[in-house]
Amino acid sequence: MSCLAHRLTRILILLAAAGLVLPATAATRRFALITAANDGGPDRTRLRFARSDAEAVSDLLSELGGVAGADRILALNTDREGLEQALVTARERLQAAAGSADRIELIFYYSGHSDEEGLLLGKERYGYRELRKALEAMKTDVRIAVLDSCASGALTRAKGGVARAPFLVDDSRQVKGQAILTSSSADEASQESDRIGGSFFTHYLVSGLRGAADSDADQTVTLAEAYQFAFRETLARTERTQGGAQHPNYDFQLSGTGDVVMTDLRQASSTLVIAAELGGRVYLRDTAGHLVAELKKPAGSPVVLGLQPGTYEITLDDGQQLSAGRITLESGTPAGLGPEGLRIIPREVAVARGEFPPADLARIEDRFFGFGLLPLPPQHAYRHSLQLHLLGARSTALDGLALGFGLSLVDEEMQGLQLSLVGNSAGRGSGAQIAVGGNRLAGSSRMLQVAAGGNIARGHLRWGQLAAGFNIVGGDTSGVQLSAGFNITSGDLKGLQATAGFNVAGEVRGGQLAAGFNVAHGPVHGAQLSAGFNITPELKGTQLSVLNVTTKLEGWQIGVVNVAVDGSEGEAIGVLNFIGGGIHRFRLWGDDLHGLNAGLKLGSRHVYSLISMGMAPGSSPLRFTAQFGLGVEQKLIGPLSLNLELTGGSEHFGTWNMAGYSLVGRFSALAVVKLWKVRVVGGVGLNGFFSDQGDRADLAWLGPQFTYTSGRHTGRIWPGLVLGLEL
């Protein structure tokens, strides 16, 4: 009887489990609207990491959050108009997706400035009430809003939201409603850090969603787990900063049981399993030095992190000693990290930068002068005012001048000048580095780097870099980068990049000038000029090159080939223009020069190019032409538009004879009337013929003529007519 009861119990458990699992396997489609704005207006300090934080969240949701590429809407470094358009786009996509899945979810993320009333986008504000109304208009089962900005907690109290106990009850996923997470309370500042290369809140939220917050080790991270981890870590890491303790807030207005699963580690391209016996604070950096994840791991249980394939540097601080190692993750293959993969390393002597208490750091001793051939690393922390060195030297801090040949190292702060034939390295600096070999700046600074080799700054740079080789900045650049090789700024550029090679930057507020090519990962507010090609996702200035490419065109493209996915607000001048929302038509027409002509009309809103071939049937020998022109189209009333064109090309008589020249041209004023899908084109023009092959009186047949002849050189100008169709 007990055996039968045992079997019945197992059957009931299996049925119950099936009842729980089946609803969870129903198709879920998740959308994400990711927004960011570094610029909060003239009264606010420009942020450094709002855009990169948003990109980190976007990448995470694509990797582990179940958001398909087509279901992500990005509005990075946006203004009010851009945010409004992104919200409209999200609403339209959600409406189109209705019925495509059993469950629809939306995640809204914003990183930038805000105050007690709303989001600060440049000189404009988008109010919290507006934001709530826009989000509530989205037809979804679940809406999750995450705001990483100052005073963002004001959004959670707009409808009386209060902190409640976590709603994780069981493993079912029948939750509906809205949840709001904010990086700070209504009267607190949200903070970002050079050390982590982003904001505290987003950094720990992303770390948690990669697996650090998986408290029940079920390979999934829920909304409650992610919030609790981000709250705990953000508060702990901001208690001693200048901005003071930062308390993330939340407002969950969700019905049903269970919790929303935010990330599924089983979907990761690769995973890192940190062994149970390891304990302490773990830091993971990629090959570019970016801090990818950070967590406090308790000893006794393993932790699984979902990461992209690649090589990572790992540091473990157990409170007594530091250990470091390197591990390479391959797609589809979990990798384990145990004690055998780490080696003990010494702690560096450092100066506190405001995030940690200085009590456990070595005392800095002031010394005016320091000198030595091949000196050993200092056993004490020294601050030098003047340092002379031959093939070596090192200071913890430098206030004055470092001279010599060989190498000059400043571990932390440098406020003066370093001169070296080979080398120069500083943690932070405010003066200048000059070297025949190269310069390296590990932190952020007002700094001018000059080198015959190359310059590298891992943080932000405010003055500039000059090099015969290359310049690289790991953060934002406010100033100039000039080189004969290449310039790279992984952050935003506010200034000028000029090189004989290529330029790469995030958002550009200024210009990029290159003999090779220019690439901007963010909007360009200025100019991209190159002999090769220019690429930016959003152009609010000018591109001048052989090939110009942008996603959104709000300025001018001038080149041989211009490409813009959305060119509804810009113009393009070129031979081939492929502009979304622009002019793409085939024209067939006759005129007094050639009875039969066919051409392609390619352009933007108003400006277009016209590439055509024409012939005069019945002429003997057969006369034909190849022409190129530029035109402007302006809509007048209803279906009526006015076209002004200037075209020209070569005229041939019987063969493609390239000896001498015979040129034809026309300036035309054309009326274009749209009739259903066909446009009727008609108008008048002023024709011209110029040749060194003698006069061709048979070309002109309409109206008065002006003729010039000198030997075999002939010029003829006369009025003409045009009539045709456009498709």
Side-chain angles (χ1 to χ4, degrees), residues 195-224:
R195 181 184 67 84
I196 63 176
S199 78
F200 288 101
F201 177 73
T202 293
H203 172 66
Y204 291 115
L205 180 65
V206 169
S207 294
L209 290 172
R210 287 199 175 277
D214 184 17
S215 58
D216 57 2
D218 65 350
Q219 299 286 287
T220 64
V221 179
T222 65
L223 182 63

Side-chain angles (χ1 to χ4, degrees), residues 479-554:
V480 296
Q481 285 185 312
L482 306 178
S483 74
F486 60 86
N487 299 312
I488 296 177
T489 296
S490 63
D492 298 338
L493 170 68
K494 189 175 182 180
L496 174 68
Q497 286 181 321
T499 182
F502 63 88
N503 297 310
V504 178
E507 179 181 2
V508 175
R509 291 182 177 270
Q512 290 180 309
L513 175 63
F517 61 86
N518 297 310
V519 175
H521 297 295
V524 172
H525 305 260
Q528 287 183 314
L529 311 177
S530 74
F533 60 85
N534 299 314
I535 298 177
T536 178
E538 186 173 352
L539 179 64
K540 297 185 177 182
T542 302
Q543 285 181 323
L544 176 60
S545 186
V546 175
L547 171 64
N548 299 306
V549 179
T550 186
T551 300
K552 186 175 182 180
L553 175 62
E554 298 184 20

